[in-house]
Amino acid sequence: MVTAALVKELREKTGAGMMDCKKVLTETDGDMEKAMELLRERGIAKAAKKSGRVAAEGLVEASISEDGKVGAIVEVNSETDFVAQNAEFKAFVQNVAKQVVDKNPKDVEELLAQPAEFEEGKTVQEALVGKIATIGENLSIRRFARFESEGLVAKYIHGDGKIAVLVNMAKGTEEVAKDICMQIAAARPEYVKQDEVPAERVAKEMEILKIQTMNEGKPEAIAEKIVLGRINKFYQEICLVDQEFVKDPSKKVSDILKDSKVLEFARFETGEGIEKKEENFAEEVMKQLK
């Protein structure tokens, strides 16, 4: 019988994923040694050793259904930018984005457990492990966003897969949607409009602005009035519709939208928020020689 404790033990010994551990233990009737051999034979143990390395490079990619009503963006990380330009890796990322569009997983865990559309007889996790074994680097499906629209979904990829944007519009043209995608890529808004900004964040910002203003020597009563003016600058930075339009700063994004309406958007930048391990290449070579 395969118990949770057995699965946990095998995972700790090999670093392989929970699903892989459970699968081989089931196949071997709970025999730990045979299960470990199976993992090695399938390249999973080898892949597991790589899983400790920081994967902070990689690609962001987007996919949209043929009718333009469903779209997804994904981030898949690799250890080096060199691998990110590998044709096999690029194809894998594109396939993962399409899988998200077609199969609508609720999160990365569910995505990994799904049968892969692009590799018969394998789950997405098993397909990923196979790529780790053949490419020779730790790879990781980090995140995705998926929109379904009654209007249209648009995408934009910038910098050879370094930034991806997905926009869900209730109404609008493809031309406007493309401009909005490029705006989001360049100006990094966090929200569509002001009423989406959490009240506690606005309150904190106003508190900071008030202290800054009083530090400039303004009396408290006057500082409060100045803060009301300065908070608009805050909104202009983080709210899409309040931003200056990057292609024509004399206009606001709201002017470009006119009769169009943005419901939601997602902006992914490769490796953002991942702490990268700095390596001295010369020192690394010397370590290897020793």
Side-chain angles (χ1 to χ4, degrees), residues 137-164:
E137 282 195 7
N138 183 26
L139 309 175
S140 171
I141 299 174
R142 184 186 182 197
R143 54 180 172 162
F144 66 81
R146 183 182 185 275
F147 299 148
E148 292 188 19
S149 180
E150 293 182 1
L152 65 94
V153 178
K155 67 175 183 176
Y156 174 66
I157 309 293
H158 179 76
D160 198 23
K162 295 302 178 188
I163 297 171

Side-chain angles (χ1 to χ4, degrees), residues 7-286:
V7 174
K8 183 174 181 286
E9 183 183 348
L10 182 58
R11 187 183 185 190
E12 289 172 351
K13 286 183 175 180
T14 63
M18 294 286 282
M19 294 299 291
D20 290 317
C21 291
K22 185 176 180 181
K23 188 174 181 180
V24 293
L25 281 167
T26 301
E27 289 178 30
T28 59
D29 295 322
D31 188 310
M32 185 64 66
E33 292 302 317
K34 286 182 180 178
M36 290 173 68
E37 284 178 20
L38 267 184
L39 287 175
R40 286 197 296 271
E41 287 169 7
R42 294 172 185 178
I44 295 172
K46 179 183 175 184
K49 290 179 182 178
K50 295 183 175 71
S51 68
R53 302 189 208 154
V54 176
E57 299 295 337
L59 290 174
V60 284
E61 182 57 87
S63 179
I64 293 179
S65 61
E66 288 185 11
D67 64 3
K69 301 295 186 183
V70 183
I73 56 173
V74 301
E75 179 181 359
V76 182
N77 297 121
S78 61
E79 292 179 57
T80 66
D81 188 53
F82 179 74
V83 162
Q85 303 311 312
N86 177 299
E88 183 180 359
F89 179 70
K90 285 184 174 181
F92 176 75
V93 180
Q94 289 166 355
N95 286 331
V96 171
K98 187 176 184 302
Q99 173 100 17
V100 174
V101 168
D102 294 343
K103 298 302 181 183
N104 191 21
K106 70 175 185 289
D107 52 29
V108 172
E109 185 178 2
E110 184 175 301
L111 169 63
L112 290 170
Q114 289 180 338
E117 289 186 318
F118 49 92
E119 239 175 284
E120 191 175 349
K122 291 186 178 181
T123 63
V124 174
Q125 171 72 37
E126 289 166 342
L128 173 65
V129 167
K131 288 292 176 280
I132 294 172
T134 57
I135 291 173
E137 282 195 7
N138 183 26
L139 309 175
S140 171
I141 299 174
R142 184 186 182 197
R143 54 180 172 162
F144 66 81
R146 183 182 185 275
F147 299 148
E148 292 188 19
S149 180
E150 293 182 1
L152 65 94
V153 178
K155 67 175 183 176
Y156 174 66
I157 309 293
H158 179 76
D160 198 23
K162 295 302 178 188
I163 297 171
V165 174
L166 191 72
V167 171
N168 178 7
M169 298 187 68
K171 50 185 176 178
T173 65
E174 290 186 7
E175 183 180 357
V176 170
K178 183 179 179 183
D179 280 343
I180 295 302
C181 283
M182 293 177 72
Q183 173 78 27
I184 293 165
R188 301 169 179 261
E190 298 176 46
Y191 305 93
V192 176
K193 53 189 186 297
Q194 292 183 18
D195 61 12
E196 294 178 3
V197 185
E200 60 270 19
R201 183 165 178 188
V202 176
K204 184 66 177 175
E205 185 67 20
M206 291 185 75
E207 181 186 334
I208 292 168
L209 288 172
K210 183 178 178 181
I211 293 170
Q212 288 176 349
T213 307
M214 291 178 67
N215 285 341
E216 292 168 6
K218 304 288 193 300
E220 185 173 355
I222 296 174
E224 288 178 355
K225 292 180 181 178
I226 293 173
V227 165
L228 291 175
R230 290 183 177 179
I231 198 69
N232 287 326
K233 175 72 173 172
F234 167 70
Y235 284 129
Q236 287 168 15
E237 290 176 356
I238 68 170
C239 296
L240 173 65
V241 298
D242 294 321
Q243 290 182 333
E244 292 181 350
F245 183 43
V246 291
K247 290 172 71 173
D248 182 358
S250 69
K251 297 178 180 178
K252 292 284 182 71
V253 171
S254 55
D255 298 325
I256 305 305
L257 285 169
K258 295 179 183 175
D259 296 328
S260 304
K261 185 178 181 181
V262 176
L263 295 176
E264 56 190 341
F265 67 83
R267 181 189 186 278
F268 286 180
E269 188 166 344
T270 304
E272 61 187 342
I274 299 176
E275 187 176 343
K276 299 183 182 182
K277 184 180 178 183
E278 297 295 329
E279 292 281 7
N280 182 305
F281 185 68
E283 287 181 4
E284 185 64 25
V285 171
M286 289 306 294

